[in-house]
Amino acid sequence: MEYDSDTQLSLSLWNEAEIFSSLEIKHLSIPDGEVELYSSCFSGDENDKIFQTLFSQVSWKQEKIKCYGKELDLPRLTAWYGDTGKRYVYSRIAMEPEPWIPVLLYIKSRVEDVAQFSFNSVLLNLYRDGRDSIAWHSDDEPELGKQPVIASLSFGGERKFQLRHKVKKEQEKVELNLTHGSLLIMKGKTQEYWQHQIPKTSKPVMPRINLTFRFID
Ligand SMILES: O=C(O)CCC(=O)C(=O)O
Ligand SMILES: [Mn+2]
């Protein structure tokens, strides 16, 4: 199967049986949430090609946020793709989705197979270096519905992903390393009871691209 015939980027795909038998799954045992981490749903070569293709083909934007009356740059670049008409407000930024491009449809179809769930939009983040981050938040915007399934795919530099319980302060923080090609799925009550973040780091890190597939009502 090819995902980008224009640039002749054809990939030697594993067949489904190989993919599913090679998927390493870790189920996190946390209260009030369901989080699964898959080692990778693409081959190593594909992970590299996908990173390069997303880096060059996605229309990355520098969004601004208002903070105490000041306009600040969001500490990462973002992009939003999806079915037309699925407007979404994120960090008080109203976004109209860009139409799907082949590489994103290719990734979406694989993620849907693994997650056993259909998505109609994807938010992309580009963390250029360790100064880029995303602060504590939950993916709990009303348009995502009551118990959203969020499939979060990472490519490029490895970053720490942290989860903290919103109510049970005695509950320990959970920390995961999101490696090149890994897929994190959050579902059930996770967004209602937990917040997550990618903290800044002073360690040298390669650029990282994250895609969070969502279903918008
Ligand atoms: O980069 C990540 O792994 C997390 C991104 C995220 O939480 C978001 O875009 O809502
Ligand atoms: Mn999030």
Side-chain angles (χ1 to χ4, degrees):
M1 200 204 292
E2 294 189 349
Y3 68 77
D4 194 339
S5 50
D6 291 338
T7 52
Q8 299 301 306
L9 253 177
S10 68
L11 299 166
S12 60
L13 278 192
W14 305 353
N15 68 44
E16 290 217 334
E18 279 175 306
I19 290 158
F20 287 106
S21 64
S22 69
L23 272 176
E24 230 178 76
I25 313 171
K26 194 173 151 187
H27 294 267
L28 258 71
S29 59
I30 54 167
D32 314 316
E34 288 174 53
V35 180
E36 295 163 1
L37 181 61
Y38 294 76
S39 51
S40 179
C41 26
F42 300 96
S43 71
D45 270 5
E46 273 191 296
N47 286 338
D48 297 348
K49 280 186 182 144
I50 289 172
F51 177 88
Q52 289 306 333
T53 309
L54 292 172
F55 192 83
S56 60
Q57 292 187 1
V58 166
S59 87
W60 296 108
K61 294 190 173 64
Q62 175 65 75
E63 299 287 358
K64 308 255 181 205
I65 36 164
K66 273 231 174 87
C67 194
Y68 299 108
K70 268 200 210 150
E71 274 227 320
L72 300 175
D73 281 351
L74 210 64
R76 60 192 180 278
L77 302 185
T78 56
W80 175 247
Y81 288 76
D83 295 359
T84 45
K86 296 291 170 193
R87 202 162 161 274
Y88 186 55
V89 181
Y90 178 81
S91 289
R92 279 176 272 155
I93 302 161
M95 296 201 269
E96 289 295 337
E98 303 261 352
W100 292 106
I101 55 174
V103 62
L104 290 176
L105 288 174
Y106 175 80
I107 299 169
K108 176 165 110 72
S109 141
R110 179 67 55 81
V111 168
E112 287 176 335
D113 281 350
V114 176
Q116 291 290 293
F117 193 81
S118 294
F119 301 100
N120 59 11
S121 55
V122 64
L123 178 70
L124 293 102
N125 293 300
L126 171 59
Y127 302 84
R128 293 155 291 186
D129 58 31
R131 288 169 294 187
D132 277 350
S133 59
I134 189 163
W136 288 114
H137 70 283
S138 303
D139 299 334
D140 58 359
E141 292 77 9
E143 52 270 51
L144 295 175
K146 195 88 182 80
Q147 296 200 344
V149 177
I150 309 283
S152 171
L153 201 48
S154 299
F155 295 101
E158 185 174 321
R159 295 289 294 262
K160 285 200 187 320
F161 177 86
Q162 298 172 331
L163 286 152
R164 71 175 181 196
H165 201 285
K166 292 193 213 177
V167 188
K168 296 180 180 150
K169 299 297 173 201
E170 71 284 2
Q171 184 68 44
E172 260 186 57
K173 219 165 40 182
V174 177
E175 191 167 275
L176 302 169
N177 285 329
L178 296 185
T179 54
H180 189 36
S182 64
L183 171 66
L184 179 87
I185 298 180
M186 296 184 275
K187 52 190 177 184
K189 294 189 246 170
T190 312
Q191 305 306 324
E192 191 181 339
Y193 285 98
W194 292 80
Q195 289 184 320
H196 53 275
Q197 74 162 353
I198 300 280
K200 296 182 192 303
T201 174
S202 54
K203 291 196 191 119
V205 281
M206 298 298 285
R208 165 175 184 265
I209 292 173
N210 170 261
L211 303 89
T212 51
F213 286 91
R214 296 144 188 257
F215 182 83
I216 307 267
D217 245 340

